[in-house]
Structures are given as structure tokens and as C-alpha cells.
Amino acid sequence: MHNGHGGTKTAQQLYEHLARLDSSYTPAACAQYTEWIDEIRALKQERNAVVLAHNYQRPEIFEVADFIGDSLELARQARQVAADVIVFCGVHFMAETAKIVNPERTVLLPDLRAGCSLSASITAEALAERKEALRKVYPDLQVVCYVNTTADVKAESDVCCTSANAVKIVEALDSQHILFVPDENLARYVQTQTRKTILSWEGNCYVHHQITPEQILAVRRNLPHVKILVHPECREDVIQLADAVLSTSAMVRYAKESPAQEFLIVTECGLSDRLLLEVPEKKFYKSCKLCAYMKMITLEGVLASLREMQYEITLPEEVRVGAERSLSRMFELSA
Ligand code: 13P
Ligand code: SF4
């Protein structure tokens, strides 16, 4: 989504905007944020920079973002950036994806600790070994890798996908046997949507994997009218309770367009914050699961990133080209 948050808010306006989310947004905190927001906006102009932010980012980050979206939208957006600098407010693999698709730009990640448990569950070497062994049994095997992976894993794969297009990509391939890496939960969900044979990896997202069916059932029992929107990184027994299984941005669209008034948002908590701010007339219940990696990115960190031009994402060219091939194939197949 192109950010429609408009001009700079005064400290009081920012406080009124954010205080309904939680009590950490005090008048003093919002006064400090307003100063940083002004400085970031000035530095963006000076450096010819744009800020891309994932849906899970802190709401104060949305105030300086030029574009907010899910992994697929951010990858598409990064491809089109003409500015010199991209400050990526998300996790490392997302910033890396921006660099892969738009290598002429300087891509900055404000905090290098912003990793991802899912992306850490697979290496290119381990994937190459598994692929070789499986191709002896299934010669037609193709590897679909979730975008939540490092560049060298993407380079070792045939095509990438995101939560928004995983089923479409698998269906578009001319192979019957697919090795789907690294998210075992997403792989299992894709298997329920296709007649192809999906072989999976042993990886998961620690945020989504900790959500249990008991937590969802408690809401369903007490509030049966609430629509339950679930991210496909959740466990199979949680997905089975969903009214809709959606990527983060698809959840936003669904909540805006549905005639329903109340929703349980079963994904990282930041998305519920975005919904609470953008759709104030509807009611959203949160899963209250935070991604510690996503929350490494702070407004102060974004300011330091633009001041010091840190931390730049770089890639060996042969890895970048290999990863770009897998991403380009995804863009073609999901066009
Ligand atoms: P989306 O592509 O649905 O935004 O998901 C990204 C992610 O990291 C989910 O945990
Ligand atoms: Fe990775 Fe999960 Fe965090 Fe998404 S929510 S960045 S998959 S650890």
C-alpha cells in the first residue's frame, strides 16, 4: 500500500493516533517520535531515499514509510524503486530480496539482528544435498522456495514463492513432484490445495508455530460471529479452524471488504495494529504473538541508518544472479 498517512503529525496528533493501541504511546514518547520523524523525512530528501516497510513493523515506522505491504508487494515495489537508497524496515531476507531485484540501489537494513527463524532453518548446502538425493527418485522434481530464505538458498531453487502466491506457483509448474522449502506448515497447506506431491523441509516460523488450536477455539466458542483469518505459516490444526487463509496484505483487504464487523487476526501482532489504525470502525482481536526480529527495527534505528548509511546489504554477484532467476520466475508465474 502506498502510504496515505500524509504529512507530519504534531506530537499531540501522533499521540491521539497511537494511544489507542497500547499504553507505551505516552505524550512524551510521541513528542520524541515526532522529532525523529521530522529528522528522518529531511534525511530521506537529502539522501534521495525511500522507506519500504513490512506489515508487521511498529506503527510509528509507518509514519515514515513510503510503501507498506506483504513480502510479495514489497518485492514488486523494490523492483520499481528509482531513488538512490532503499531503507528496508523488515527482516534481513526482505532487504536482501530488494537488493537482488534492484542491484543498482543502496539497500540499508537498520538493524542486522533482524533475522528470521524460518530463513535460518535451511542452508544452500543442505538443500543441494536433499535435492540431489530426491532427484534420483523423482527425476521431474522442482524446488519451490519460500521467499523467507537467504539469497544462496534462492539461487539453489527453481522458483520462489510467498504466502500470497504459493499455491499458484506450485500449480503453474510442469512437474508432479515439488520439494517445498523451508516452511513445513505452508508446505502442508499447499498440499491441501493441489493434486501435486509436495515434499517438505523441517522448518517453521517460531511466531506462527506457537499458536495452538485451543487458543482459536476459545474465541470461536465465546464469540462465534468473529471471522477467523489465519496466516498459512500456522500449524495445520490451526489452519483447519480458519474462515480464510491469507497473506498479511490479503488479510487487510479481506477485513476492509468483508461485511463482517469483527475479526480474529491469527498472525504476528503488528498486523492487528495496522488494522486497528486503518479500519477503526471494525473490531480486531489480536493473537498477541510478536516477532522479535521484526521488532528490532525502531524509529531511532531508521534515523541512525540514514545518518550513517548503515547497514548496507551486499551480495556476491553470482549468488545475486542465481537468486534473481528464481525471483523473476516467480514474478512471471504469478503475473
Ligand atoms: P507475508 O508475505 O504474508 O507478509 O508474510 C511474511 C512473513 O514473514 C510472515 O511471517
Ligand atoms: Fe520470520 Fe516468522 Fe518473523 Fe516472519 S514472523 S520474519 S517468518 S520469524
Side-chain angles (χ1 to χ4, degrees), residues 54 56 91 93-94 115-119 146 148 183 204-208 231 233 267-268 290-294:
H54 186 263
Y56 294 159
V91 291
F93 75 80
M94 295 179 176
C116 168
S117 70
L118 188 50
S119 137
Y146 194 31
N148 298 36
D183 189 345
N204 58 60
C205 156
Y206 87 99
V207 180
H208 291 86
H231 195 278
E233 284 176 20
T267 188
E268 208 268 353
L290 291 179
C291 173
Y293 300 111
M294 283 280 177

Side-chain angles (χ1 to χ4, degrees), residues 56-90:
Y56 294 159
Q57 288 293 291
R58 298 167 186 271
E60 60 273 23
I61 299 273
F62 294 157
E63 296 297 314
V64 295
D66 297 280
F67 184 87
I68 305 166
D70 67 9
S71 310
L72 183 61
E73 292 168 335
L74 288 165
R76 282 198 180 121
Q77 195 62 32
R79 251 181 152 189
Q80 294 165 16
V81 168
D84 296 324
V85 179
I86 298 173
V87 181
F88 207 102
C89 296

Side-chain angles (χ1 to χ4, degrees), residues 214-284:
E214 290 72 29
Q215 293 161 336
I216 312 301
L217 283 167
V219 176
R220 171 123 297 163
R221 264 194 299 272
N222 295 320
L223 304 162
H225 58 284
V226 165
K227 286 272 178 234
I228 299 176
L229 311 188
V230 175
H231 195 278
E233 284 176 20
C234 288
R235 290 164 31 169
E236 188 183 22
D237 48 8
V238 170
I239 288 182
Q240 278 167 359
L241 301 171
D243 289 304
V245 181
L246 302 163
S247 79
T248 55
S249 287
M251 285 184 186
V252 175
R253 283 191 292 276
Y254 186 104
K256 285 181 176 170
E257 288 162 16
S258 163
Q261 293 300 306
E262 298 189 26
F263 304 86
L264 172 65
I265 303 300
V266 188
T267 188
E268 208 268 353
C269 242
L271 188 78
S272 323
D273 286 343
R274 184 179 158 190
L275 285 164
L276 285 161
L277 293 173
E278 281 183 29
V279 198
E281 67 281 11
K282 295 193 178 182
K283 194 160 184 177
F284 298 98

Side-chain angles (χ1 to χ4, degrees), residues 14-25:
L14 189 65
Y15 171 67
E16 282 163 16
H17 182 62
L18 298 178
R20 70 190 118 132
L21 295 178
D22 72 69
S23 55
S24 69
Y25 293 108

